[in-house]
């Protein structure tokens, strides 16, 4: 049996843009992607704290490092508005023997979507 485990999470990022007429995805500041270990085109789940909306999409690199970009693109633009707080999470499937050495990357941001704190948390107790 495989288990679905949290790979990484960006907690309480603020949506900076919503662009309906753009290819579907979530544009993120490259610094946030690096901090959370996210790759371009990796699937993520987005939880909108402000509205309760939840959806899946994929990540693409935002315009420039340090920009704080969190932009909902395409259909995702209907799931939130600039100013909304969101959690961005990635998950993976793992075999039981992988669990003891696994870990999640947790990233908290400030009001400008800059990394305020980063923690690597092991899955095993």
């Amino acid at each position: 049996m495989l288990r679905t485990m949290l790979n990484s999470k960006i907690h309480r990022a603020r949506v900076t843009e919503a662009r309906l007429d753009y290819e579907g995805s979530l544009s993120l500041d490259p610094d946030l992607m690096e901090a959370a270990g996210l790759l371009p085109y990796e699937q993520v789940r987005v939880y909108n704290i402000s509205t309760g909306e939840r959806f899946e999409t994929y990540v693409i690199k935002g315009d420039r490092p340090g920009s704080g970009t969190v932009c909902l693109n395409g259909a995702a633009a209907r799931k939130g508005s600039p100013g909304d707080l969101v959690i961005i999470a990635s998950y993976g499937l793992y075999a039981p023997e992988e669990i003891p050495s696994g870990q999640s990357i947790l990233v908290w941001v400030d009001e400008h979507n800059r990394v305020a704190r980063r923690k690597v948390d092991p899955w095993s107790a």
Side-chain angles (χ1 to χ4, degrees), residues 1 12 50 63 84 87 91:
M1 172 183 75
R12 296 181 67 87
S50 301
D63 296 333
D84 286 357
I87 297 168
Y91 297 87

Side-chain angles (χ1 to χ4, degrees), residues 46-63:
V46 180
Y47 310 120
N48 189 325
I49 297 167
S50 301
T51 67
E53 287 282 353
R54 294 170 165 249
F55 60 95
E56 291 181 353
T57 189
Y58 60 94
V59 175
I60 61 172
K61 282 187 180 182
D63 296 333

Side-chain angles (χ1 to χ4, degrees), residues 33-52:
M33 290 177 64
E34 182 179 341
L38 293 171
L39 299 175
Y41 304 103
E42 183 169 354
Q43 182 183 39
V44 292
R45 294 181 189 163
V46 180
Y47 310 120
N48 189 325
I49 297 167
S50 301
T51 67

Side-chain angles (χ1 to χ4, degrees), residues 3-22:
R3 291 185 180 261
T4 303
M5 302 295 290
L6 178 69
N7 284 332
S8 65
K9 171 177 88 162
I10 301 171
H11 192 69
R12 296 181 67 87
R14 191 170 301 278
V15 174
T16 58
E17 298 175 72
R19 295 169 39 187
L20 185 61
D21 296 326
Y22 190 79

Side-chain angles (χ1 to χ4, degrees), residues 95-102 122-124:
E97 60 273 9
E98 295 176 287
I99 304 294
S101 62
W123 297 332
S124 58

